[in-house]
Amino acid sequence: MKILITNDDGIHAEGLRVLADTLKDEYEVYIAAPASQCSAFSHSVTYFRKRNKAQKAMIEGVKEAWAIEGTPADCVFYAVCGLFDVSFDAVISGINDGRNMATDIIYSGTVGAAGEGMLCGIPSIAVSLCGKSRTHYETAAEAVKTILPHFLADSGNRSYILNINVPDLPKEEIKGFKAAVMDLPEDYKRPITIERLNDDTCTLSMDLNLEHKKREISVPDGDVSAVRDGYIAVTPLMYDMVRYGVMNRLKKIEEIPF
């Protein structure tokens, strides 16, 4: 069985190497990952408007690996469309250095790469390690190894991304898996720095030195709460962004003369 591993932290990220090392004895592992850090690129792509350089990388135990000067989603697209002369049974994006829960998912290059795999018709997983120190990558890798056969056995696995968030704990301290929905933050604003160059021009940046705590609303079975309680949060994601609960109210616009 052939597995494509990618990420958004770059080809040299520890999480990617640990994941590959954990899976290489049971699967044929291939890697296509960004040549440099590409966090928060979401599902952005460049493959339809530019040529991206790719360089072979040597990673022990991996069948073949490439570092690509593109986005995480670019890497998956190139990998499944001909860079490797194989058909993949699964795409796994990660292990991300940090959480991808609640609306962080919207910004996530890790999830974006898995989304590209799903759109290409391949069962796809995104996996992230949550916590401040982020040292227990082996725990997250074992979580993927454990759940992967169950995910591949699901006949509907091409219709969603399996998003996995793992507490940064030793394996023996994990309480188990928990099916979870997205928690929602109440406020996602951040402090910014404004540098005035003249009356008509300024530079804008986010001030990384100012502390900002997101106020999160916990919902029943939310992913943030699950991880905080010591569980591995497992969330099925899809790209159908229609708010079906609003459709009946929206039908009233059909009565508006135009």
Side-chain angles (χ1 to χ4, degrees):
M1 187 168 286
K2 298 174 178 62
I3 306 294
L4 173 66
I5 294 179
T6 188
N7 70 356
D8 71 356
D9 292 321
I11 191 74
H12 300 294
E14 182 180 358
L16 181 141
R17 302 294 180 112
V18 172
L19 181 60
D21 190 59
T22 301
L23 297 179
K24 68 183 182 183
D25 290 336
E26 294 188 23
Y27 303 95
E28 290 185 24
V29 174
Y30 298 78
I31 291 176
S36 59
Q37 171 64 250
C38 288
S39 293
F41 272 55
S42 187
H43 199 132
S44 61
V45 296
T46 66
Y47 54 71
F48 62 89
R49 62 181 175 84
K50 62 176 288 192
R51 294 188 296 175
N52 289 301
K53 181 181 178 181
Q55 179 72 45
K56 269 198 173 181
M58 298 301 297
I59 298 177
E60 185 178 354
V62 172
K63 292 292 183 180
E64 191 175 342
W66 288 85
I68 301 171
E69 292 182 355
T71 69
D74 282 335
C75 294
V76 174
F77 176 82
Y78 290 130
V80 304
C81 292
L83 180 60
F84 301 100
D85 189 22
V86 298
S87 296
F88 292 106
D89 298 290
V91 172
I92 304 176
S93 180
I95 300 164
N96 189 62
D97 183 23
R99 62 176 244 178
N100 277 306
M101 300 184 290
T103 45
D104 290 342
I105 290 168
I106 296 169
Y107 298 92
S108 171
T110 305
V111 174
E116 186 74 7
M118 180 190 68
L119 293 181
C120 290
I122 303 171
S124 298
I125 292 174
V127 56
S128 305
L129 184 63
C130 311
K132 292 183 178 179
S133 62
R134 296 192 285 276
T135 56
H136 296 93
Y137 287 101
E138 291 80 5
T139 303
E142 286 296 327
V144 173
K145 187 177 180 179
T146 300
I147 205 169
L148 181 56
H150 301 277
F151 176 58
L152 293 176
D154 179 7
S155 60
N157 56 21
R158 289 172 174 79
S159 65
Y160 65 95
I161 305 161
L162 197 66
N163 188 40
I164 302 173
N165 282 275
V166 183
D168 187 21
L169 297 170
K171 182 179 179 180
E172 58 270 18
E173 295 183 22
I174 298 291
K175 294 180 179 179
F177 293 99
K178 178 165 283 191
V181 299
M182 290 172 59
D183 267 309
L184 299 175
E186 180 181 345
D187 185 357
Y188 216 87
K189 296 189 297 293
R190 295 171 170 87
I192 65 169
T193 297
I194 303 174
E195 182 181 354
R196 302 285 179 183
L197 302 180
N198 54 50
D199 290 342
D200 301 316
T201 311
C202 64
T203 59
L204 305 173
S205 62
M206 185 176 74
D207 194 332
L208 299 175
N209 296 317
L210 295 178
E211 292 188 5
H212 174 64
K213 182 175 177 58
K214 289 179 289 186
R215 294 175 292 158
E216 287 167 335
I217 304 171
S218 291
V219 299
D221 297 319
D223 50 10
V224 175
S225 300
V227 169
R228 186 182 296 129
D229 292 340
Y231 291 92
I232 299 169
V234 182
T235 306
L237 305 175
M238 60 186 296
Y239 281 173
D240 184 350
M241 292 184 280
V242 174
R243 186 68 182 270
Y244 289 98
V246 179
M247 284 299 293
N248 287 336
R249 300 200 304 273
L250 194 62
K251 284 285 186 180
K252 295 179 182 179
I253 66 169
E254 297 176 3
E255 302 170 6
I256 300 173
F258 186 72

